[in-house]
Amino acid sequence: MTRNTQQPLAKQGRFASFLIAGTGIVWLLVLALGEELGWSQRTLAFFDLAAMASFAMALWLLFGVWRARRNNKE
């Protein structure tokens, strides 16, 4: 793999890792805030679904990086 093909993949991998970490932190903060302010279970479930969608997107990005690196080795 050359540097030209490796750099965009590394950038995508970093973005996915920041997405996972950021989602986890924001999700925990929203749950704590919702518990403190007495938000309904329906509202908290909305944020749970949003966090799951974000985690799924990060996994999709990481899968794409893995496939691209695997294809570039050949």
Side-chain angles (χ1 to χ4, degrees):
M1 248 189 306
T2 64
R3 184 173 174 87
N4 291 339
T5 58
Q6 212 172 17
Q7 197 169 14
L9 294 177
K11 190 174 184 179
Q12 254 188 331
R14 279 193 304 272
F15 176 73
S17 67
F18 287 136
L19 182 63
I20 290 170
T23 299
I25 291 169
V26 170
W27 183 41
L28 290 175
L29 290 175
V30 166
L31 289 179
L33 182 66
E35 190 70 31
E36 189 67 31
L37 296 177
W39 291 349
S40 69
Q41 290 297 316
R42 191 174 187 171
T43 304
L44 293 174
F46 169 75
F47 287 108
D48 289 343
L49 288 174
M52 285 178 16
S54 182
F55 286 134
M57 181 181 146
L59 284 174
W60 183 257
L61 286 171
L62 290 174
F63 180 70
V65 169
W66 174 73
R67 283 187 55 200
R69 287 192 178 175
R70 190 171 174 210
N71 289 339
N72 285 341
K73 283 185 180 179
E74 295 172 353

